[in-house]
Amino acid sequence: MMVTKGRPHFAVVRSYLVSDLTHAGFGDVNFGWGKAVYGGAATGGVGATPSVGSFYIPFRNGKGEDGIVVTFCLPAVVMEIFVKKLNELLKEEAEQEEAERPLIPAKKSSTLIISAL
């Protein structure tokens, strides 16, 4: 929406920006030495205030499975709580899928990577 309005300055208070880079084609860029291993944002967050935004970045793991990396910044204490709650939700979802389809293995999985600079 910011593009259609001439990129006005946004209010930081109670705002959160999300930029979807999944169709930007960073993985298709070839500088002459082969396919890119990674293409996307170098850091999590936006500008001088990293806690006001994040990116959706396409990613392919070592097994060739495609996924999306979502970057965001939280204070360390809040990140610990977030990780705990997310792990609980993922465990509950996996258990529910297994109960609904006991003979068919679940095809999707999530991996949470915590990083601090």
Side-chain angles (χ1 to χ4, degrees), residues 1 5 13 24 43 48 50-51 60 62 70 72 76 92 97-98 115:
M1 181 183 294
K5 302 215 183 238
V13 177
T43 63
S51 61
R60 179 171 289 135
V70 181
F72 58 94
E92 288 173 12
E97 284 182 3
E98 188 176 317
S115 175

Side-chain angles (χ1 to χ4, degrees), residues 7-100:
R7 292 213 181 269
H9 184 71
F10 63 92
V12 176
V13 177
R14 301 182 64 85
S15 293
Y16 193 77
L17 302 175
V18 177
S19 185
D20 184 350
L21 303 178
T22 58
H23 299 288
F26 293 128
D28 298 327
V29 175
N30 187 334
F31 293 103
W33 53 78
K35 281 261 201 200
V37 174
Y38 172 81
T43 63
V46 178
T49 314
S51 61
V52 299
S54 67
F55 300 98
Y56 296 164
I57 305 166
F59 180 75
R60 179 171 289 135
N61 68 13
K63 298 177 186 176
E65 300 168 326
D66 291 326
I68 297 174
V69 172
V70 181
T71 63
F72 58 94
C73 299
L74 295 173
V77 173
V78 178
M79 182 62 83
E80 289 175 14
I81 296 168
F82 174 79
V83 168
K84 180 180 175 189
K85 294 295 183 186
L86 184 60
N87 283 333
E88 290 171 5
L89 288 171
L90 293 173
K91 181 179 178 186
E92 288 173 12
E93 181 181 310
E95 289 172 353
Q96 183 178 1
E97 284 182 3
E98 188 176 317
E100 292 172 0

